[in-house]
Each structure stands twice: as C-alpha cells, then as structure tokens.
Amino acid sequence: MTDLEIAQQASMEDIAVVAGSLGLGEDDLERYGKNIAKLTDEALKKAEKMTPGKLILVTAINPTPAGEGKTTVTIGLGDALAMRGKKTAIALREPSLGPCFGIKGGAAGGGHAQAVPMEKLNLHFTGDIHAITAANNLLCAMLDNHLQQGNALGIDPDRIVVKRCLDMNDRALRNTVIGLGKRADGVVREDHFCITVATEVMAVLCLASDLFDLRERLSRMIVAYTYENKPVTAGDLKAAGAMTVLLSDAIRPNMIQTLAHTPVFVHGGPFANIAHGCNSLRATRTALGLADYVVTEAGFGADLGAEKFLDIKCRIGGLTPSAIVLVATARALKYNGGVPKDRAAEPDMEALKRGAVNLGKHIENLKKYGVPLVVTLNHFVTDTDEEISFLRDYVESQGAAFTLARVWEKGGEGGQELAEAVEKAVNQPGSFRHLYPSELSLREKIETIAREIYGADGVDFINGTDKTIAHLEEMGYGSFPVCVAKTQYSLSDDPAKLGRPEGFRITIREVYVSAGAGFVVMIAGSVMVMPGLPRIPAAERIDIDSDGNIVGLF
C-alpha cells in the first residue's frame, strides 16, 4: 500500500478528542472541519502558564534526493512515547507545494507513521502559506506603487532586496522584468521570485512570539536601500499593519493527529537549505506547555536544520532541548559512499563503510552542543542484518546510543526501542550550549560554522560580500546569528562532495540581513531560493478519480 492509501483508510478521531488528551476543550479550538483546528488565543494563553515539558529534536545525516524519513521517525517516536503512557505532542512544519509537485514529496511522514488528514496537510491545509504569499506580495506591490507614485523615500530601483514569491517550483520566475507596457503600468525594473517558504515573511511568522511581535518584526524588514545607502523598511512603506492583518489567522498554530491519534502541531514551513528550517516558535512553546514530551524536527541534515534550530531558533526563543535524535538510513550512507541513488537500496558493505563517515561527522558535530544524543537507523525492508550490525557497532564506537526504528512498517510499536533510549537520554544531565556566542563578528560566526560543522578549511567571500558584512555590522546587525543557505546533499557547498569531504573551502556569494527575523543570511555555493521542477515532476502522476479521491500523492 502507498502512504496515501494508508492515510485514506485511517480512522481519525474528532479533533476535539485529540486536543482533549492535552487538556484542551472545544472552546480552545477553531475548527476547519472534523479533523483540523487552529488553536484560539485562549488556548495559547493557557499553555503559556504551564511548566514546559521535555523538548526532543529529530535531525538527520545528509540525505538522498528522496529524503530519509526524518518526519516519519519524528511521528513514529511521538506515537511510541504516547504508547508508553507519556503525555506527548509532535511539532512539525507545514508542507510546501513545491516539493509536493516536484520530487521530494510532502511532509506528513510515511507508512504507519503519518500525520492525517494527509492530503489536506500536503495541499492547501488551513491556508497559512497562501496568507504568507499574499502578505509578501502585498509588500512588493506597495513598494512598486511607491516608486510609481513619485518615490518620496528615494529608493534606488537597483537596490531592491525583497523578492516576490510563489509556493511552487518555477525556475522561469527566478529573474524577470516588471513594469513593461505603458507609463501607468509601473516602473520598469529587474525583479526576482523566491519560493514562499524561503521568504523573510515565513521566517518572521515562525519566530514571532505573538501578534504584536509579528507586526514589529514585519515593520523591521528591510526591503530596499536609498540612493544614499540607507535602508528602507516595510514600516517605512506603511505596509506592516496590512501584512499583519493578512497573517492574523496564520500566526495561530494548527492541530491535527497521527494515525495513532497523537496530537500534532503543524505550523510554519521554512526550508532548511535556504531558510532556518524549523516549525514556528509559537507552536513549539504551546506544545511544551501542554505536553510532557514534545518531539520536533528540523529540516534536511544536521549541518543545516539542526545547526539552525540550535543556534537560531533556540537562541531567539530561549529553548533548551533535552535530547537529540539523529536519523540515518543505510541507503543514504551508501549514497554518501559513492553508490548512485538508484542503486542505494542494493547490498554494498564497502560503500556503506565508506559512507559511514558522514554519520560519524554528524555525531561529532551534535556532541558539540552538550545535549544527550541518540542515533536511530530508519529501517528499510532492503536493509540487511550485516548492514544493521555494522552500523550498530560503528555508532557505539563513536560514543553514541544506537537504536533501530521500524516506524514506517509498525508505527509506534516499531519505535519502542528508540522511545526507550530517548526516555533515558532526556533524564541524563545536559549542558546545552550554542556553537558560537553572539559577540563574535559575522565573519567569525560563518567561519566557525564552516570549520566546526562542515569541516571546511576556510571561507571565501566573493561578489563584495566581505564589504556587505562590514556594512551590516556598521548598521548594528553584528550580534545576529548566521543562517547559511547551501546544498543539503553535502557537508560542503558542493552537492557532488559526498561522505565527509576534506580540503575544501566554503564560498559565500551573497549576504543580506533578515532584520525582522533576526538573522543574517549567507548564501553559499550555487543553492537557489527558487527551486525548479525535475524532468518528470510528481505533478504528472497526481490526479483525482471519479469518486473524488486524490490519487498519486505519494
């Protein structure tokens, strides 16, 4: 059976019953049908008064293009903890339509470890991402209207930094020209699009503590620079109020359930390779207030999502994780050992041994944060006993606990070994620390990340990025954490450098500040903020049958 068929046959509880397991009632929910709800302001205030539970981060090694089941393990672990009598909640990101119709798929988990209703979650859901698209593009429209109406702020049309957006992989929109036609059709200029989940508006929504904080952060967003090199903000354009109105529902976390009826908070969806890659701070805090154990995930490999979760989200939100789970798969390790992705499911011990160094580097990296670590192998039916035995020995030789997760096949029952190890981990003494202090310069921060996390020999700054960094520090942004945008397939900024590359340098080709979100973005290598569709996109096989059922969605 496909993931979609398993999800469509699921028997879901009424969302009020699911919320009741966390002490919430009907008045705490704003329903979107029987199985989806947004939390009311009253529910959020109720959670704020509670003692926070244990926060468990799930991350992964560098993946294959198809992903390694990190969300599946997150959901399976949550179900496993709930089966063990723990008051548990799961906190995930909302799926972007780009991957759903592209190559990677959605973000609802898989097999018997899924969040449901799967189709609604992976498609329009409660409209949060659409609201973010609208708010971002309203800002862009108001900026271009300002240029058209006389440009009182003196904006330099060649120094506009905000991009329009669309939640779809559409490479043709990466670089475009707008304002063509008659004089009344606008000022002609070069423009750019990014995917919605890479926008600063998405990052702002995910890091805002409440509606007031959201408006303040939106107001601080830098959208352009004047001819005198002064920043122009969304507040200067008087756009922040209307943007906040568009986002006033979107800022409230959503709740759905797993196949086993464990509560799932799904809110926000920034990509981890081109944004900070974590669900909303508000959803995480709410879950922590209502549950004893909260299992959350951070996108892609630990060099991206986990680093950003620990150095950006935890720093801004004052969070302290109690344990980290590092997900690996035998196929991804063989891929990192040089096996083509279409043969990674075949037995190949030599490739597995070569690729295991990628896992070893991630273990080494995560230990630097002082949080108890558990490694889990997301089991595939093609895994052999020899492969599993080797990886168990390898992980234990690296000083980490090893577990086997069979959650895709068995749901929470298949996650009991992992859940037991996590229970032990969260009760171990930890000494959580960030990779770098805020006082370091921006250059020192990226050099620390490159050296300590990626294993690079150093950093090269091109296209005048060293001058941009100096200017940002002069503007007062030197204390901000750094958010690196780079490929997810390698520890380096070159997707072809698999395993544990050595003797390389990181190239920073673009730098800008997300003043509203509260971090400085550094783009490394050739990563794109607007992805493209593959030769055969998933959209070609997605359809709806004569009974109105969606087919082909994974």
Side-chain angles (χ1 to χ4, degrees), residues 51-58 74 77 81 87-92 278-281 283-289 291-298 309-310 313-315 317-325 371-373 422-423 425-428 432:
T51 302
K54 305 280 190 180
L55 180 60
I56 301 149
L57 170 66
V58 179
T74 301
L77 173 58
L81 288 167
K87 190 177 182 183
T88 305
I90 299 165
L92 303 175
C278 311
N279 74 298
S280 80
L281 181 58
T284 302
R285 283 176 170 167
T286 301
L288 285 168
D292 296 330
Y293 285 72
V294 174
V295 187
T296 191
E297 50 88 35
F309 178 92
L310 297 164
K313 180 175 176 176
C314 288
R315 192 191 305 262
L319 301 176
T320 300
S322 297
I324 298 174
V325 174
V371 180
L373 174 66
V422 166
E423 280 189 59
V426 299
N427 290 309
Q428 293 174 9
F432 174 54

Side-chain angles (χ1 to χ4, degrees), residues 15 56 94 136 166 203 208 222 227 271 275 285-286 289 299 302 408 419 453 457 502 522 530:
I15 194 63
I56 301 149
E94 298 180 49
N136 182 88
L166 184 71
I222 294 175
Y227 289 107
F271 280 177
R285 283 176 170 167
T286 301
W408 186 92
I453 301 299
D457 292 340
E502 296 178 345
M522 298 195 184
M530 170 56 87

Side-chain angles (χ1 to χ4, degrees), residues 506-548:
I506 294 292
T507 300
I508 301 299
R509 63 177 174 86
E510 185 179 349
V511 175
Y512 59 89
V513 64
S514 291
F519 52 69
V520 171
V521 178
M522 298 195 184
I523 298 181
S526 59
V527 67
M528 295 289 183
V529 295
M530 170 56 87
L533 291 172
R535 182 178 296 276
I536 303 176
E540 292 187 7
R541 62 177 180 268
I542 297 172
D543 209 333
I544 193 162
D545 66 20
S546 58
D547 295 322

Side-chain angles (χ1 to χ4, degrees), residues 254-399:
N254 311 291
M255 180 183 287
I256 53 175
Q257 62 191 287
T258 69
L259 294 173
H261 316 309
T262 305
V264 186
F265 293 84
V266 188
H267 196 220
F271 280 177
N273 59 340
I274 48 181
H276 75 287
C278 311
N279 74 298
S280 80
L281 181 58
R282 209 175 192 206
T284 302
R285 283 176 170 167
T286 301
L288 285 168
L290 297 173
D292 296 330
Y293 285 72
V294 174
V295 187
T296 191
E297 50 88 35
F300 290 125
D303 56 315
L304 287 168
E307 188 274 317
K308 296 172 184 181
F309 178 92
L310 297 164
D311 287 317
I312 297 177
K313 180 175 176 176
C314 288
R315 192 191 305 262
I316 291 174
L319 301 176
T320 300
S322 297
I324 298 174
V325 174
L326 177 60
V327 179
T329 63
R331 69 173 188 176
L333 291 173
K334 285 181 280 189
Y335 176 72
N336 272 278
V339 172
K341 62 184 179 182
D342 57 352
R343 290 176 45 204
E346 299 174 10
D348 191 331
M349 283 302 300
E350 292 307 311
L352 183 67
K353 291 175 181 178
R354 291 194 302 269
V357 294
N358 184 266
L359 173 58
K361 176 58 174 166
H362 286 293
I363 292 172
E364 177 186 311
N365 289 348
L366 292 171
K367 284 184 175 182
K368 296 174 182 178
Y369 291 93
V371 180
L373 174 66
V374 176
V375 176
T376 193
L377 180 68
N378 183 23
H379 184 265
F380 281 65
V381 293
T382 52
D383 295 348
T384 68
D385 290 342
E386 185 181 13
E387 290 172 340
I388 295 169
S389 178
F390 167 77
L391 289 173
R392 185 181 297 275
D393 291 343
Y394 180 81
V395 168
E396 290 175 350
S397 74
Q398 302 296 305

Side-chain angles (χ1 to χ4, degrees), residues 356-491:
V357 294
N358 184 266
L359 173 58
K361 176 58 174 166
H362 286 293
I363 292 172
E364 177 186 311
N365 289 348
L366 292 171
K367 284 184 175 182
K368 296 174 182 178
Y369 291 93
V371 180
L373 174 66
V374 176
V375 176
T376 193
L377 180 68
N378 183 23
H379 184 265
F380 281 65
V381 293
T382 52
D383 295 348
T384 68
D385 290 342
E386 185 181 13
E387 290 172 340
I388 295 169
S389 178
F390 167 77
L391 289 173
R392 185 181 297 275
D393 291 343
Y394 180 81
V395 168
E396 290 175 350
S397 74
Q398 302 296 305
F402 176 89
T403 63
L404 192 63
R406 297 178 180 268
V407 295
W408 186 92
E409 177 187 3
K410 300 180 179 181
E413 181 183 344
Q416 290 303 309
E417 181 182 340
L418 172 59
E420 182 179 357
V422 166
E423 280 189 59
K424 291 178 181 177
V426 299
N427 290 309
Q428 293 174 9
S431 54
F432 174 54
R433 54 190 174 272
H434 301 297
L435 184 68
Y436 53 81
S438 298
E439 294 74 27
L440 283 186
S441 69
L442 293 174
R443 186 169 185 138
E444 288 172 320
K445 287 169 184 169
I446 181 58
E447 288 172 343
T448 299
I449 295 170
R451 183 179 62 254
E452 297 292 330
I453 301 299
Y454 309 152
D457 292 340
V459 180
D460 295 322
F461 300 91
I462 64 172
N463 302 333
T465 49
D466 52 346
K467 295 180 181 178
T468 303
I469 290 171
H471 184 229
L472 292 178
E473 290 181 332
E474 290 173 4
M475 294 170 66
Y477 299 117
S479 64
F480 277 14
V482 168
C483 180
V484 183
K486 76 170 187 71
T487 179
Q488 65 269 32
Y489 298 124
S490 172
L491 286 159

Side-chain angles (χ1 to χ4, degrees), residues 91 102 113 145 189 229 267 430 442 501 505 528:
N145 184 61
R189 68 176 182 88
N229 202 29
H267 196 220
L442 293 174
R505 298 176 67 83
M528 295 289 183

